[in-house]
C-alpha cells in the first residue's frame, strides 16, 4: 500500500502488538503491526456495468491501481487525503456501494483539473470516470444533492434556456441559492445588486468598477443582466438537447 | 510555423462578451498587430464549460458539435478559443467524436434533428496561445514591440486545462520519453505538458522577465468550484498567489477568463482576511502584449481588471 494511502484503513482494524511470535520466531518490534482482514459480501456488480456503458466511463477497466492519479491529485494532496481517485475506482469496480457512500462528502470535491488523467500510465480517463461514477450514484439515489452538483445543474439549465450564460445572473442566482435574500425588480424579475443581501467581500469587489468610474464595463454588464444574451437559432435545437438530457436522466 | 493557418474561426465564449471583455478587446488588438485574422463565430452557444459535462454527456457533445458545425458553415477547419474551458470542451468533443463511432453517429443524427448541419469532418481546436505562438511567434512579437515591458517580472500562469489532459490538448509528453510515432496527434503545435513555455516566450520577446513559478503555473485555481466550494478554491488561489509573490513577481499573466476571475475574486477575499503575500495583481497576457505594442492602458481595458495592475505598471513606467 502506497504510504500516502494509510488513511484508507479504519483505525479500529489496525492492531499493534507488544509481543508477536509468528511460527516460533519472535518478530516483535519489526513486524508488530497487523491489519485485520474484512469480509465483503454486499457488492453490486451492476454498478460498474453502468459506468462502463457510458462513453466517458468505459476506460474504468484499464485501471491497474497504481495510484499515480491519487499521487498527482491536488485535492488529495492539499485538501483532504480521504479524496482518493484510485480508491473510488476500486470501490466502484467491486460495487462496494456503502463504502462509496461513506465517502460521498468528499467525492464531489474534484476540481476537474485532469492531472490524474494526464498522468495515468494506463490511459484511463480518470476525471471522466470519476464523474461517471458520481452520476451513476446520483441516479441511483446513493448520493445527496451536493454543492457542486447543484451548481452544475443550475449552470446547465441556464445554457439550456438561452444557449448562453451570463456572469452576473449566475453569481446572484447562486448567492440566492445559498440562502441570501436577493432583491429583484418586480417586472423583469432580475436581481438588483447592492439592494438585497450580498456577502461583504463580493460587495466590495463589485464596488471597484463604480469607484474607478468604469462606465463602459458597468453598462455592458448591466445590459447583459437585464437582457440575457441568447443564441438566436436556439428553440429547435433546445428541444433536441432537452430530449437527450431526459434520456440520460439529467432532466425530469 | 504556419501549421494552423492565419485566418481561423474565433470562438470567444460567453465570458469574453461579458465580464472578460478586456480579454476579447486585447486579443483582437494582438491578432491585428501580428497580422492574423479572427473570424467571429456567429450565433455560437455556450460550450458547457466545466459544469454541463457533469450533468449530461450527450448534451455537451451536442453543444460543442453545434459550434463546430457553425465553423464549418463559415468555411473553417480550425477553431481558436481564448479560454481554457472552451478549448477544453471543444477538444474533448473532438476526441470523443474521433474515437467513438457510436457517439459520432448519434451526434450527427441529433444535429440533423435540431436543424443544424451534421459534421462530415471534425474541425480542430486550438487555444489562442498556441495559435499566436505558431502563426506569429516570438520573432514577430519582438518586431512589433514599441514599448518593451522592461523590468516587469511576470509569473506566467497557464492554469490546468491548457496542457491537460494530453488526450485532448495533444501536449507533448515531455517526461514520457516517447518515440516519434507514439507522439500524440498534432504534436507539432502542442506545448510541453509539464513545462509549458509559449506564454513565457511571447512575453519575454516583448521585454518582460519571467519568474520561477513551477509547479504553480499549471496548478488548478479551483475555477470549476469557485462558486460552489469556496474553501478549496481559496486555498488553491492562495498557493498560487503566494508562490508568485515570494518569487518576486510584479504581476500574474493569465490566458483564461475563468482562471483570471477566480484569481481576482479569491485574491480579494484573501486580502480581506489579511493573508500575507497575496497582493499580486493579474492581467491577461494579451493586455501586456498590447501595452508592449504601444497601445494605452485604456485601449487594452486595464481598468476592467478588479485586481488593478495599473499601479504596478505605472511604477515601472509601462502604462
Ligand atoms: S493512474 Fe490510472 S491505472 Fe493508476 S490507479 Fe489511477 S486510474 Fe488506475
Ligand atoms: S481532475 Fe479531480 S481527481 Fe483528477 S487530479 Fe484533478 S481534482 Fe484530482
Amino acid at each position: 500500500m502506497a504510504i500516502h494511502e494509510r488513511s484508507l484503513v479504519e483505525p479500529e482494524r489496525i492492531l499493534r502488538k507488544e509481543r508477536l511470535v509468528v511460527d516460533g520466531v519472535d518478530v516483535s518490534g519489526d513486524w508488530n503491526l497487523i491489519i485485520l482482514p474484512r469480509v465483503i459480501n454486499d457488492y453490486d456488480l451492476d454498478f460498474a456495468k453502468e459506468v462502463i456503458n457510458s462513453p466517458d466511463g468505459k476506460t474504468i477497466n484499464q485501471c491497474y491501481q497504481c495510484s499515480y492519479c491519487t499521487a498527482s491529485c491536488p485535492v488529495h494532496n492539499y485538501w483532504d487525503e480521504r479524496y482518493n481517485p484510485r480508491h473510488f475506482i476500486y470501490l466502484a469496480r467491486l460495487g462496494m456501494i456503502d463504502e462509496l457512500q461513506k465517502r460521498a462528502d468528499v467525492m464531489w470535491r474534484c476540481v476537474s483539473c485532469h492531472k490524474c488523467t494526464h498522468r495515468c500510465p494506463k490511459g484511463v480517463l480518470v476525471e471522466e470516470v470519476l464523474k461517471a461514477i458520481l452520476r451513476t450514484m446520483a441516479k441511483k439515489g446513493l448520493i445527496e444533492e451536493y454543492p457542486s452538483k447543484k451548481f452544475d445543474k443550475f449552470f446547465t439549465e441556464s445554457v439550456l434556456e438561452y444557449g448562453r450564460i451570463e456572469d452576473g445572473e449566475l453569481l446572484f442566482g447562486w448567492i440566492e441559492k445559498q440562502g441570501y435574500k436577493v432583491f429583484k425588480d418586480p417586472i423583469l424579475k432580475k436581481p438588483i445588486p447592492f439592494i438585497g443581501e450580498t456577502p461583504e467581500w463580493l460587495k466590495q469587489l463589485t464596488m471597484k468598477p463604480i469607484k474607478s468610474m468604469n462606465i463602459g464595463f458597468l453598462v455592458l454588464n448591466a445590459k447583459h443582466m437585464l437582457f440575457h444574451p441568447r443564441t438566436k437559432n436556439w428553440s429547435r435545437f433546445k428541444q433536441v438537447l432537452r430530449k437527450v438530457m431526459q434520456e440520460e436522466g439529467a432532466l425530469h | 510555423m504556419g501549421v494552423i493557418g492565419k485566418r481561423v474561426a474565433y470562438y470567444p465564449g460567453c465570458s469574453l462578451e461579458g465580464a472578460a471583455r478586456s480579454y476579447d478587446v486585447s486579443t483582437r488588438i494582438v491578432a491585428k498587430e501580428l497580422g492574423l485574422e479572427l473570424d467571429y463565430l456567429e450565433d455560437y452557444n455556450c460550450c458547457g464549460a466545466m459544469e454541463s459535462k457533469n450533468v449530461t454527456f450527450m448534451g455537451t457533445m451536442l453543444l460543442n458539435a453545434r459550434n463546430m458545425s457553425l465553423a464549418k458553415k463559415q468555411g473553417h477547419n480550425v477553431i481558436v478559443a481564448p479560454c481554457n474551458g472552451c478549448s477544453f470542451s471543444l477538444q474533448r468533443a473532438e476526441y470523443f467524436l474521433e474515437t467513438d463511432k457510436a457517439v459520432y453517429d448519434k451526434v450527427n443524427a441529433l444535429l440533423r434533428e435540431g436543424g443544424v448541419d451534421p459534421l462530415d469532418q471534425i474541425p480542430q481546436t486550438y487555444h489562442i496561445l498556441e495559435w499566436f505562438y505558431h502563426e506569429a511567434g516570438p520573432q514577430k512579437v519582438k518586431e512589433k514591440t514599441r514599448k518593451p515591458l522592461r523590468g516587469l517580472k511576470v509569473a506566467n500562469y497557464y492554469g490546468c486545462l491548457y496542457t491537460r489532459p494530453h488526450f485532448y490538448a495533444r501536449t507533448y509528453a515531455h517526461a514520457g520519453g516517447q518515440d516519434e510515432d507514439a507522439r500524440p496527434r498534432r504534436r507539432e503545435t502542442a506545448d510541453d505538458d509539464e513545462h509549458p513555455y509559449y506564454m513565457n516566450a511571447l512575453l519575454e520577446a516583448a521585454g518582460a522577465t519571467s519568474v520561477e513559478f513551477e509547479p504553480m503555473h499549471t496548478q488548478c485555481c479551483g475555477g470549476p468550484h469557485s462558486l460552489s466550494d469556496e474553501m478549496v478554491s481559496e486555498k488553491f488561489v492562495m498557493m498560487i498567489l503566494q508562490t508568485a509573490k515570494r518569487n518576486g513577481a510584479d504581476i500574474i499573466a493569465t490566458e483564461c477568463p475563468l482562471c483570471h476571475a477566480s484569481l481576482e475574486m479569491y485574491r480579494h477575499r484573501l486580502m480581506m482576511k489579511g493573508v500575507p503575500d497575496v497582493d499580486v495583481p493579474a492581467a491577461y497576457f494579451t493586455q501586456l502584449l498590447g501595452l508592449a505594442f504601444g497601445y494605452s492602458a485604456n485601449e487594452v481595458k486595464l481598468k476592467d481588471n478588479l485586481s488593478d495592475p495599473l499601479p504596478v505598471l505605472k511604477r515601472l513606467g509601462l502604462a
Side-chain angles (χ1 to χ4, degrees), chain A residues 85-236:
Chain A
R86 178 204 65 76
H87 194 50
F88 301 151
I89 289 176
Y90 175 76
L91 295 175
R93 280 214 310 221
L94 290 184
M96 289 166 66
I97 306 282
D98 55 337
E99 290 290 323
L100 276 176
Q101 261 180 310
K102 265 189 224 160
R103 290 158 180 85
D105 60 322
V106 288
M107 279 190 75
W108 60 270
R109 289 211 124 109
C110 166
V111 288
S112 301
C113 71
H114 284 265
K115 207 165 190 170
C116 48
T117 314
H118 189 73
R119 293 267 172 90
C120 173
K122 288 286 284 172
V124 180
L125 299 177
V126 187
E127 191 267 1
E128 309 267 359
V129 167
L130 294 173
K131 296 298 160 71
I133 294 173
L134 268 182
R135 231 178 25 229
T136 311
M137 285 175 76
K139 210 190 273 175
K140 292 179 182 285
L142 299 169
I143 189 166
E144 300 201 349
E145 287 275 316
Y146 45 92
S148 77
K149 181 170 156 226
K150 272 197 254 170
F151 184 71
D152 291 343
K153 264 187 166 168
F154 174 58
F155 184 101
T156 308
E157 275 156 21
S158 185
V159 176
L160 187 62
E161 183 57 33
Y162 303 101
R164 291 191 196 176
I165 50 150
E166 197 278 309
D167 306 315
E169 196 170 280
L170 222 51
L171 192 56
F172 283 98
W174 182 248
I175 289 173
E176 190 176 15
K177 283 211 172 221
Q178 285 183 314
Y180 287 93
K181 266 206 167 52
V182 171
F183 189 84
K184 292 189 179 170
D185 77 279
I187 302 164
L188 287 167
K189 302 264 180 284
K190 300 281 178 173
I192 301 181
F194 303 109
I195 300 187
E197 290 175 3
T198 318
E200 189 49 37
W201 64 274
L202 188 63
K203 224 182 249 170
Q204 278 194 19
L205 202 62
T206 30
M207 272 309 281
K208 283 201 167 177
I210 296 176
K211 274 196 197 136
S212 65
M213 302 255 289
N214 192 350
I215 308 293
F217 183 80
L218 290 169
V219 169
L220 178 80
N221 284 292
K223 193 181 97 192
H224 280 180
M225 267 189 98
L226 280 178
F227 308 102
H228 200 295
R230 41 177 94 225
T231 303
K232 278 178 253 114
N233 288 317
W234 191 244
S235 54
R236 188 164 153 204

Side-chain angles (χ1 to χ4, degrees), chain B residues 7-229:
Chain B
R7 189 170 180 276
V8 294
Y10 174 51
Y11 176 76
C14 310
S15 60
L16 267 82
E17 303 214 288
R21 73 165 174 167
S22 55
Y23 193 18
D24 183 51
V25 170
S26 53
T27 292
R28 286 167 192 273
I29 285 176
V30 172
K32 198 178 107 213
E33 284 291 315
L34 296 178
L36 304 173
E37 206 184 322
L38 294 163
D39 187 18
Y40 179 86
L41 196 60
E42 294 295 338
D43 205 35
Y44 67 84
N45 55 263
C46 173
C47 66
M50 307 311 297
E51 280 81 8
S52 302
K53 72 175 177 49
N54 300 339
V55 180
T56 159
F57 176 80
M58 230 358 141
T60 37
M61 286 296 126
L62 271 181
L63 287 172
N64 288 288
R66 182 179 179 276
N67 290 328
M68 288 177 178
S69 174
L70 297 180
K72 294 295 298 176
K73 210 170 184 175
Q74 279 176 226
H76 293 289
N77 280 325
V78 170
I79 304 175
V80 155
C83 163
N84 281 357
C86 298
S87 68
F88 167 84
S89 293
L90 283 158
Q91 286 171 341
R92 174 176 183 262
E94 211 183 304
Y95 175 82
F96 278 105
L97 290 170
E98 265 172 14
T99 56
D100 195 325
K101 184 81 173 52
V103 172
Y104 178 75
D105 289 341
K106 185 155 185 210
V107 164
N108 268 345
L110 289 166
L111 283 180
R112 218 172 274 133
E113 198 182 324
V116 180
D117 295 346
L119 291 163
D120 46 353
Q121 189 200 356
I122 303 153
Q124 308 194 323
T125 313
Y126 297 91
H127 191 282
I128 204 147
L129 184 53
E130 288 176 280
W131 186 54
F132 284 158
Y133 187 85
H134 278 277
E135 292 303 320
Q139 195 51 44
K140 185 95 188 191
V141 169
K142 209 176 251 166
E143 278 167 33
K144 287 284 167 186
T145 298
R146 262 163 271 167
K147 273 177 59 191
L149 303 169
R150 213 163 280 134
L152 185 68
K153 291 201 247 39
V154 187
N156 294 283
Y157 180 60
Y158 292 86
C160 46
L161 296 177
Y162 168 67
T163 55
R164 292 201 293 257
H166 60 80
F167 292 99
Y168 308 163
R170 306 167 312 268
T171 35
Y172 172 41
H174 178 88
Q178 301 181 12
D179 55 25
E180 205 64 30
D181 356 319
R183 280 175 177 173
R185 304 170 297 150
R186 280 151 46 200
R187 139 89 181 92
E188 67 278 11
T189 56
D191 209 339
D192 187 304
D193 67 342
E194 304 280 352
H195 313 281
Y197 61 92
Y198 287 1
M199 189 157 48
N200 297 44
L202 294 183
L203 288 175
E204 279 165 22
T209 315
S210 310
V211 300
E212 178 60 43
F213 198 34
E214 293 195 13
M216 287 303 148
H217 61 334
T218 59
Q219 160 72 37
C220 176
C221 67
H225 280 196
S226 57
L227 292 180
S228 53
D229 193 4

